[in-house]
Amino acid sequence: MLGLAFSRLPATAEPFTRENFYNLVPADKKLDPAWVKSLFTRGTPQVYAGSDLKYIGMPIGGIGCGQLYLGGNGKLWYWNVFNKIKNDFFCDCGGSHYSKPVIPSSPVEQGFTIRYGNMTLPLEKFSDITFRGEYPIGVVTYRDVNLPVSLMLEAFSPFIPLNTDDSCLPATVLQFTLKNSSNAKIEIELAGHLSKTGMDSRLMRGNGLTFLECSSSTAVDSSQPDHGTMGLAILDATKTASGELALSRTLSIDPGRSEVVTFLVTWHFPNLRIDKLPAAGRWYATKFKSALEVAEYVVENFSRLAGQTKLWRDTWYDSTLPYWFLDRTMANTSILATNTSFRFPNNRFYAWEGENSGPGTCTSVWYYAQAVARLFPELERSVREMQDFADGIGFDPTTGGIWTRAESRGDFVLDGQAGNVLRAYREHQMSANDAFLKRNWPKIKQATEWLIAQDKNGDGIIEGWQSTTLDCGSWWGAMSWTSLLYQAALRAGVEMAGELGDKEFPAKLQPILDVGSKNLTKRLWNGEYFFHIPDPSHENSFVLGNGCHIDQVYGQAWADQVGLGYLLPQKYVRSALRSLWKYNFTTDVGPYRKKFPEGRWYAMPGEGGMIMTTWPHNDRIYPKKMEAGMKQGVGYLNECMSGFEHQIAGHMISEGMVMEGLAVERTIHDRYHAAKRNPWNEIECGDFYSRAMASYGVFLAACGFEHHGSKGYIGFAPKLTPENFKCAFTTAEGWGSFSQKAESGNRIAAITLRWGRFNLKTIMLESKLAHSAKVSHDGKPVDAKLKREGKRVLLTLKNPATISAGEKFEITLT
């Protein structure tokens, strides 16, 4: 790995002065030019081997189906697919798993063995094993000097964006390709086994498979949480040999030829229990009665399920974006396949903040996550409709406030409230029509009015009591973080009201927006970045003061994600981001954390990161009296939490600070290299912390992606190599690949749909020179009107088109 050419500087002695602040967070980052170059280059896929396999645990179960890991050597481990929520070593709310990663262990005995002649060898004992993770598919290769065969394992659960049901199956596919590397025909056997103490085993045959079932004792009451079945299946029952506790296939393979053997692991434990939700249950139990039925469904639909999962993987990686970038921005989607995430029988998506930590799909955490809404928008819509805007569950109909933790209630958290208005607009954009918006508009409107009620004088700045995602006790006074999110929510409210023909509501919101931007820059700007003016009548409240805070312009980042335009003049936004790069990003957090040791360690000495808040002007203020939660909050401000870092990385890229944004993102990626810890487990308050799904927003920023389903609108403004660019995309009803190239003074762009359908009316591209366009749909000319808006080119089709899977839409700008 390429490192950072920055020698650690020792923490300075007291007193802490402005001059030696730069020893703690140097303005000159001294980045290694080779490392900077690697940020942009396509590179090669990351393949792990040797000691780097130790900590790997890639989740490969279905969404909301429990937690099952694929280890670096191909072994399945953890196996928390049952219903007794673990509160043991695996539940880590304090974040110690960052410094002390979990070592693979398993309550289930499962594995695969090769038999060749007189030799029997478990796969994990092969002398040469490599791992390549391309979520949702993990690829493990096995070679051994004593065997004339190599194996490649592709392990995954069906994962098909926009197809929620087939991506929520309690099933893992283990597909082995065995290749004869010798010059002679060989006969070889691949065998698999599975068992669990306390469960009865029996062999069964179904349609196209042989199934080794493990079930809880018949003496156990079926209402108990862990009552259920699990099992191992091998496809193609006619060729299967079976022993007492194993399934096997003997193959005759010609020289240089390959054969494929497919196993399935399935499970069915329907009686999920969660505090305050005593009858939660699991969605998959409404579709299947046993693990065998799950296996039979997968077998019956195997070609489609496996084919479309691999098609998505191939579409994602068929890109000009760097491999490392594609790995990191997709990796956190695996949080959906952990015990952070659940899907209930009524189709409601429900989640913790992190694994078993912070219940109630916490509004102030989940509004950072961008992956679910873009890949499985049905799940996000369910949270809005069945929680956030559901009377008495997440919504207070008397005030319009949204409880931060649904049934667990808690506070009305200001950032989460604004975030939910913005999320409602995003969920509308990721819908094919306006039905979602029409159904929920009265509650969205009321939630927006709740925000306005906190702005006592209507000046666009909230100055009263503010609760936020940083559980620091009370906040009072004016700060851009919360107020800019408030203004973003108002802007989204204007857009939604306009689409529904509600003319009165925008007339109420627009005057606040008009003065809000001016007041923020007039009152809260110190010449470099936005600061916090505490309320002097609440001297024991939490204080940022003149600190440079990571989320100070997060409202603008949200506006970028949903195409709302600028809330502030661009020069202020860019200056704030440049200040965060200068004052908060360091290639080695060690010196800073030595000086300010409070807080959890999500970046160790020698590792880089974006520190939450710094005081470069040596004017940090502490509350006179540390009330409940404040000491913890002081620690938060010293930490490097990846979800916040992802959002700032994406915002930097959106604003043209591409190198800086990529550096922040790559630094997170390097912290989670398999040599150090599990690459698929970004930790905050708990493992697989949901805020980390902000990483998908970094991908969207790099693509300059915009979409509005009911308007038939899609746009791309690539920030990396726009002259030769390719990426995956998802819309309300389909997904595919976008590309653009510069050729002979022209720009040729193409939208190729791989799955589903897409209703298209308007296309946005960036081009400074284009004044005319040719448009075609599968080679047939299409009439379109071109309109320029600065660097943007808008092409509006005379007749809206429906693009189906396999079809191509091409645009030539001249």
Side-chain angles (χ1 to χ4, degrees):
M1 289 180 59
L2 293 167
L4 295 168
F6 171 60
S7 58
R8 287 180 54 190
L9 296 172
T12 56
E14 296 283 357
F16 178 49
T17 66
R18 177 172 170 77
E19 287 70 27
N20 61 33
F21 174 84
Y22 296 105
N23 291 337
L24 302 180
V25 182
D28 181 0
K29 310 306 174 185
K30 300 187 184 297
L31 302 181
D32 185 334
W35 186 83
V36 173
K37 183 179 180 181
S38 77
L39 302 178
F40 294 86
T41 56
R42 173 68 167 154
T44 57
Q46 174 71 67
V47 178
Y48 296 114
S51 60
D52 288 354
L53 303 178
K54 180 179 179 180
Y55 298 122
I56 289 175
M58 188 171 108
I60 52 167
I63 295 173
C65 296
Q67 198 160 327
L68 176 62
Y69 293 164
L70 176 69
N73 61 4
K75 285 280 286 186
L76 301 179
W77 65 285
Y78 191 46
W79 288 95
N80 197 1
V81 299
F82 312 104
N83 292 316
K84 291 179 180 177
I85 299 299
K86 293 170 114 23
N87 286 311
D88 57 11
F89 181 66
F90 286 93
C91 178
D92 176 40
C93 300
S96 65
H97 287 178
Y98 186 84
S99 59
K100 298 178 181 178
V102 176
I103 303 297
S105 63
S106 175
V108 174
E109 177 56 38
Q110 185 278 326
F112 295 95
T113 301
I114 280 288
R115 296 177 184 138
Y116 174 69
N118 295 324
M119 185 177 183
T120 299
L121 187 65
L123 295 192
E124 65 270 21
K125 299 297 185 181
F126 272 53
S127 59
D128 181 4
I129 302 176
T130 66
F131 185 97
R132 166 67 184 152
E134 297 179 337
Y135 194 77
I137 300 176
V139 180
V140 188
T141 63
Y142 302 90
R143 296 178 180 85
D144 194 281
V145 292
N146 297 311
L147 288 173
V149 65
S150 62
L151 293 86
M152 180 184 72
L153 165 63
E154 291 181 288
F156 58 92
S157 186
F159 183 100
I160 306 163
L162 306 180
N163 182 348
T164 305
D165 288 358
D166 281 337
S167 301
C168 293
L169 300 176
T172 297
V173 177
L174 300 155
Q175 190 167 57
F176 291 92
T177 300
L178 294 84
K179 183 176 182 179
N180 182 354
S181 54
S182 73
N183 295 320
K185 187 173 185 176
I186 63 171
E187 188 170 278
I188 200 161
E189 181 184 30
L190 176 63
H193 67 277
L194 181 148
S195 63
K196 184 179 186 300
T197 301
M199 300 187 81
D200 299 327
S201 299
R202 61 172 177 162
L203 282 167
M204 309 167 70
R205 290 192 180 270
N207 296 324
L209 58 82
T210 301
F211 191 72
L212 175 59
E213 182 192 70
C214 296
S215 63
S216 55
S217 171
T218 55
V220 175
D221 183 346
S222 63
S223 68
Q224 296 302 307
D226 277 344
H227 176 82
T229 59
M230 63 188 302
L232 176 70
I234 185 170
L235 274 60
D236 193 352
T238 60
K239 299 180 180 179
T240 301
S242 55
E244 183 179 351
L245 291 175
L247 303 174
S248 67
R249 176 76 44 78
T250 299
L251 304 166
S252 295
I253 311 176
D254 290 329
R257 306 289 293 180
S258 299
E259 294 286 345
V260 176
V261 181
T262 302
F263 291 86
L264 301 176
V265 171
T266 61
W267 58 94
H268 189 275
F269 298 95
N271 301 314
L272 177 67
R273 299 288 187 268
I274 296 177
D275 288 346
K276 298 182 185 285
L277 296 165
R282 295 192 183 272
W283 171 84
Y284 64 66
T286 66
K287 190 168 183 176
F288 308 105
K289 295 179 180 178
S290 67
L292 175 60
E293 284 195 8
V294 177
E296 290 177 328
Y297 177 82
V298 174
V299 171
E300 182 181 354
N301 297 276
F302 186 80
S303 178
R304 176 178 60 82
L305 296 174
Q308 292 177 0
T309 299
K310 293 179 180 180
L311 178 62
W312 167 253
R313 185 270 312 270
D314 294 344
T315 301
W316 179 259
Y317 282 98
D318 182 14
S319 173
T320 56
L321 289 165
Y323 275 104
W324 74 262
F325 183 84
L326 294 169
D327 286 350
R328 181 49 45 199
T329 53
M330 177 55 69
N332 292 312
T333 309
S334 67
I335 292 166
L336 296 176
T338 71
N339 279 323
T340 295
S341 305
F342 304 91
R343 191 184 185 196
F344 295 156
N346 63 356
N347 288 324
R348 176 184 170 188
F349 180 74
Y350 176 94
W352 304 82
E353 294 178 36
E355 185 188 354
N356 306 333
S357 167
T361 325
C362 178
T363 63
S364 62
V365 172
W366 273 86
Y367 86 102
Y368 285 82
Q370 297 290 347
V372 187
R374 301 297 182 175
L375 297 171
F376 300 99
E378 176 186 354
L379 296 180
E380 280 285 3
R381 287 194 294 266
S382 80
V383 183
R384 302 291 83 72
E385 297 197 85
M386 304 176 80
Q387 172 178 316
D388 299 330
F389 299 127
D391 287 351
I393 297 178
F395 192 79
D396 180 358
T398 62
T399 65
I402 299 171
W403 287 299
T404 186
R405 298 189 186 280
E407 285 88 347
S408 300
R409 300 295 174 90
D411 296 327
F412 299 123
V413 181
L414 196 144
D415 61 339
Q417 180 92 9
N420 272 9
V421 175
L422 289 160
R423 293 160 88 191
Y425 185 46
R426 180 190 63 190
E427 271 62 276
H428 166 54
Q429 290 183 330
M430 285 300 292
S431 300
N433 53 51
D434 61 5
F436 167 84
L437 182 58
K438 285 181 176 178
R439 286 195 306 269
N440 294 284
W441 176 238
K443 299 287 182 65
I444 298 168
K445 188 174 179 179
Q446 194 178 359
T448 308
E449 289 171 332
W450 184 95
L451 288 166
I452 296 171
Q454 314 310 307
D455 180 7
K456 304 300 183 183
N457 58 4
D459 67 349
I461 297 178
I462 296 174
E463 298 172 280
W465 178 81
Q466 298 156 64
S467 181
T468 71
T469 190
L470 297 181
D471 307 311
C472 305
S474 56
W475 297 74
W476 293 82
M479 60 180 175
S480 64
W481 172 21
T482 49
S483 290
L484 198 55
L485 280 165
Y486 161 49
Q487 293 182 26
L490 295 188
R491 180 71 65 84
V494 169
E495 293 296 323
M496 289 184 277
E499 290 191 41
L500 295 178
D502 183 339
K503 297 180 180 179
E504 294 181 2
F505 200 52
K508 181 177 181 179
L509 305 185
Q510 194 59 53
I512 304 173
L513 286 166
D514 291 341
V515 299
S517 174
K518 295 176 182 177
N519 286 333
L520 277 173
T521 56
K522 182 180 180 180
R523 293 184 56 200
L524 301 177
W525 183 251
N526 70 2
E528 293 180 289
Y529 56 85
F530 290 97
F531 60 94
H532 169 218
I533 301 176
D535 184 340
S537 65
H538 294 274
E539 61 181 13
N540 291 327
S541 67
F542 204 78
V543 182
L544 288 179
N546 202 28
C548 189
H549 179 59
I550 196 168
D551 274 351
Q552 62 182 276
V553 285
Y554 185 28
Q556 183 60 59
W558 247 109
D560 292 346
Q561 287 286 319
V562 291
L564 292 174
Y566 278 100
L567 306 171
L568 297 166
Q570 188 183 47
K571 65 179 182 179
Y572 293 97
V573 177
R574 290 190 173 179
S575 179
L577 294 174
R578 285 194 296 269
S579 295
L580 283 163
W581 171 258
K582 180 179 180 180
Y583 296 133
N584 295 55
F585 178 77
T586 175
T587 55
D588 181 1
V589 302
Y592 189 91
R593 290 306 303 275
K594 186 175 181 180
K595 178 70 180 180
F596 300 107
E598 301 96 342
R600 300 160 299 183
W601 289 82
Y602 302 128
M604 305 300 290
E607 296 177 339
M610 177 74 75
I611 296 166
M612 290 286 290
T613 309
T614 65
W615 284 263
H617 303 285
N618 191 29
D619 49 9
R620 186 170 189 171
I621 303 172
Y622 291 90
K624 290 186 177 181
K625 180 182 178 181
M626 286 286 186
E627 296 180 347
M630 287 189 179
K631 185 174 182 181
Q632 176 176 270
V634 168
Y636 286 163
L637 301 182
N638 300 330
E639 296 172 3
C640 295
M641 293 188 266
S642 68
F644 296 90
E645 293 172 286
H646 287 305
Q647 79 83 4
I648 207 67
H651 198 183
M652 287 176 167
I653 291 170
S654 290
E655 283 298 331
M657 295 173 61
V658 179
M659 186 281 290
E660 293 87 344
L662 291 177
V664 173
E665 192 69 8
R666 177 61 178 267
T667 299
I668 303 168
H669 186 64
D670 288 351
R671 293 205 308 256
Y672 282 93
H673 189 278
K676 300 179 177 182
R677 49 192 61 91
N678 186 358
W680 286 271
N681 180 15
E682 289 188 23
I683 298 167
E684 195 185 310
C685 184
D687 289 359
F688 296 97
Y689 201 76
S690 55
R691 199 188 324 260
M693 284 190 283
S695 62
Y696 197 87
V698 188
F699 168 76
L700 297 177
C703 301
F705 177 76
E706 296 178 359
H707 176 56
H708 197 307
S710 65
K711 289 185 177 181
Y713 171 83
I714 196 167
F716 297 90
K719 302 298 188 271
L720 281 78
T721 64
E723 70 284 352
N724 180 25
F725 182 81
K726 191 173 188 180
C727 70
F729 69 88
T730 61
T731 68
E733 295 183 286
W735 47 264
S737 184
F738 167 79
S739 63
Q740 68 176 37
K741 286 187 177 182
E743 292 184 4
S744 303
N746 299 332
R747 175 157 291 182
I748 300 174
I751 296 170
T752 305
L753 208 66
R754 303 295 187 195
W755 187 95
R757 50 178 280 167
F758 174 36
N759 293 325
L760 179 61
K761 184 178 181 180
T762 305
I763 308 160
M764 182 280 290
L765 300 172
E766 272 197 357
S767 177
K768 296 179 181 179
L769 304 176
H771 293 283
S772 63
K774 292 182 180 179
V775 183
S776 64
H777 182 184
D778 262 11
K780 298 179 181 178
V782 173
D783 289 336
K785 181 180 178 180
L786 184 149
K787 179 183 177 182
R788 293 198 60 86
E789 293 183 353
K791 295 188 299 182
R792 298 158 71 98
V793 175
L794 292 175
L795 293 165
T796 302
L797 308 187
K798 182 178 180 181
N799 298 306
T802 298
I803 308 176
S804 300
E807 295 181 353
K808 185 176 184 179
F809 212 87
E810 193 167 71
I811 307 102
T812 302
L813 298 176
T814 60

